[in-house]
């Protein structure tokens, strides 16, 4: 029996893949407006709206500040990072559900402590508590366990403010240290990093929003006990739309295409999966929000497996539930 070790958390971060040609095309489209808007002043959201009003642009409704686009798209992320001096506590639980056969359920609860240092820079150290409940899955050892999976520091820099630029654009970088393999639950020594571009746009003021994420994930890991190191990498792309149906509730849909590779440089493709599903976001109380999504693998293909769907590298279902509190 063999076991597959994943060098980075594919469940949360690398479950969004993209082929090379759409990645290049999307980045080229995204970066062209960046060059034109590169001289935009680095201002807060409030200052940006004031500048927009001075320039004769439409100023959004008074409750505009209540919509933070970061979490309204499910697993897809918006470009907002909060205002300078803002502190946010985030509890985010991801679940991977179902393989080809047997019983497979994993959860990863990420606790992030987010602090916005400037209007354009935010840091968020955090850790992950995870569970594995695996029984009768080929190539995976039966397991029922809970433990600390990883530690990471999320760093986000906002290049374009969506209130004054054609769209919002934020870069995300997240180094990761892992001690538990997120797929098998086995003990590992792992190191990885996530680099992604988060873009969003407000089409109807305070009502209709869309987002696009493109990213690259790389990592290396080894099973405890002197085993050889393995290396992997992923390309990811996701897009989402969200609409405010009620004053404090938004519903939407997201689509995500994921590719997994052996090797740090996208060397050998192992498989790909396409997910689609509904999203929601709501305000529970002042400065407290709840959001989430449920994605179903609608299409996919694993290397050397003629069957439909890629259930070797990915799960059949992926779900996310997130609770946030701003201070």
């Amino acid at each position: 029996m063999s076991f597959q070790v994943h060098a980075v958390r594919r469940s949360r971060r690398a479950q969004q893949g993209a082929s090379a040609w759409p990645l290049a095309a999307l980045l080229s489209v995204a970066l062209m407006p960046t060059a034109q808007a590169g001289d935009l002043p680095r201002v807060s959201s409030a200052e940006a709206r004031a500048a927009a009003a001075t320039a004769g642009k439409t100023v959004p409704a008074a409750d505009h500040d209540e919509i933070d686009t970061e979490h309204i798209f499910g697993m897809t992320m918006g470009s907002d990072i909060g205002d300078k001096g803002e502190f946010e506590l985030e509890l985010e639980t991801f679940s991977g559900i179902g393989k080809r056969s047997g019983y497979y359920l994993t959860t990863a609860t990420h606790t992030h402590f987010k602090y916005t240092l400037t209007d354009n820079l935010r840091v968020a150290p955090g850790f992950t508590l995870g569970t594995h409940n695996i029984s009768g899955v080929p190539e995976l050892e039966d397991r029922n366990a809970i433990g600390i999976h990883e530690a990471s520091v999320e760093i986000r820099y906002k290049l374009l403010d969506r209130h004054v630029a054609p769209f919002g654009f934020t870069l995300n970088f997240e180094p990761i240290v892992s001690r538990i393999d997120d797929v098998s639950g086995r003990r590992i020594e792992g190191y990885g990093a996530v680099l992604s571009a988060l873009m969003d746009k407000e089409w109807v003021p305070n009502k209709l929003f869309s987002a696009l994420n493109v990213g690259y994930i790389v990592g290396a890991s080894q099973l405890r006990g002197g085993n050889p190191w393995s290396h992997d990498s992923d390309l990811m792309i996701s897009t989402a739309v969200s609409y405010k149906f009620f004053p404090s509730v938004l519903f939407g849909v997201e689509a995500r295409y994921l590719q997994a590779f052996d090797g740090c440089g996208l060397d050998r493709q192992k498989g790909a999966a396409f997910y689609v599903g509904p999203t929601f976001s709501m305000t529970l109380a002042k400065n407290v929000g709840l959001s989430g999504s449920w994605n179903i693998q609608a299409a996919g293909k694993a290397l050397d497996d003629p069957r439909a769907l890629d259930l070797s590298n990915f799960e059949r279902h992926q779900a996310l539930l997130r609770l946030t509190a701003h201070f």
Side-chain angles (χ1 to χ4, degrees):
M1 180 176 292
S2 62
F3 297 92
Q4 184 175 16
V5 178
H6 296 261
V8 295
R9 177 163 297 283
R10 185 161 287 119
S11 60
R12 177 170 69 109
R13 302 181 178 87
Q15 294 288 27
Q16 306 168 324
S19 60
W21 72 264
L23 177 65
L26 288 167
L27 284 177
S28 65
V29 171
L31 292 177
M32 282 192 297
T34 303
Q36 298 170 359
D39 296 328
L40 286 173
R42 302 304 186 191
V43 295
S44 67
S45 296
E47 291 171 327
R49 289 190 294 276
T54 302
K57 295 184 179 181
T58 300
V59 180
D63 64 340
H64 190 296
D65 283 346
E66 296 177 4
I67 295 185
D68 185 318
T69 62
E70 181 180 7
H71 296 318
I72 67 174
F73 302 108
M75 300 184 199
T76 306
M77 306 296 287
S79 68
D80 287 349
I81 63 171
D83 293 326
K84 179 181 178 180
E86 183 177 85
F87 175 77
E88 178 184 353
L89 174 63
E90 177 184 292
L91 298 176
E92 178 185 84
T93 297
F94 175 93
S95 297
I97 308 166
K99 289 291 188 178
R100 184 75 63 183
S101 60
Y103 182 83
Y104 184 85
L105 172 63
T106 66
T107 68
T109 298
H110 315 281
T111 301
H112 274 139
F113 306 93
K114 302 180 178 181
Y115 184 72
T116 306
L117 296 171
T118 72
D119 291 322
N120 301 90
L121 178 64
R122 189 186 73 192
V123 296
F127 65 93
T128 300
L129 176 68
T131 67
H132 287 82
N133 194 339
I134 306 172
S135 177
V137 178
E139 298 190 351
L140 291 179
E141 186 180 63
D142 289 357
R143 188 176 302 274
N144 191 351
I146 182 173
I148 300 295
H149 282 194
E150 68 181 29
S152 63
V153 179
E154 180 187 270
I155 303 170
R156 293 194 180 181
Y157 187 80
K158 182 168 62 177
L159 293 174
L160 295 177
D161 190 308
R162 63 186 177 85
H163 297 100
V164 293
F167 57 88
F169 186 19
T170 294
L171 289 178
N172 174 73
F173 174 68
E174 186 174 9
I176 309 158
V177 177
S178 302
R179 289 297 175 261
I180 300 291
D181 179 50
D182 61 288
V183 174
S184 68
R186 303 190 74 186
R187 291 188 176 274
I188 63 170
E189 179 182 0
Y191 305 93
V194 179
L195 179 62
S196 52
L198 317 175
M199 295 161 274
D200 61 8
K201 185 174 179 63
E202 185 173 1
W203 296 97
V204 178
N206 207 33
K207 285 288 186 181
L208 179 62
F209 304 83
S210 67
L212 172 68
N213 292 179
V214 181
Y216 168 70
I217 302 97
V218 63
S221 67
Q222 67 170 351
L223 291 172
R224 295 289 181 88
N227 290 278
W229 285 82
S230 64
H231 302 81
D232 62 15
S233 52
D234 299 80
L235 287 174
M236 60 183 187
I237 182 171
S238 66
T239 185
V241 176
S242 187
Y243 185 82
K244 188 171 78 169
F245 286 89
F246 306 102
S248 60
V249 181
L250 296 92
F251 291 107
V253 62
E254 69 177 337
R256 299 157 55 233
Y257 180 62
L258 329 175
Q259 283 188 327
F261 295 84
D262 272 327
C264 293
L266 311 176
D267 302 64
R268 298 168 299 279
Q269 183 179 338
K270 296 187 294 185
F274 174 75
Y275 286 88
V276 64
T279 70
F280 80 94
S281 175
M282 64 176 62
T283 301
L284 298 179
K286 184 178 180 181
N287 299 328
V288 178
L290 182 70
S291 59
S293 64
W294 185 285
N295 284 190
I296 301 171
Q297 188 178 154
K301 180 72 170 60
L303 183 66
D304 298 328
D305 189 342
R307 295 171 294 182
L309 305 183
D310 181 355
L311 298 177
S312 299
N313 300 291
F314 307 102
E315 299 89 5
R316 189 180 297 273
H317 302 270
Q318 296 178 355
L320 180 74
L321 187 64
R322 180 192 298 114
L323 180 68
T324 59
H326 296 261
F327 302 95

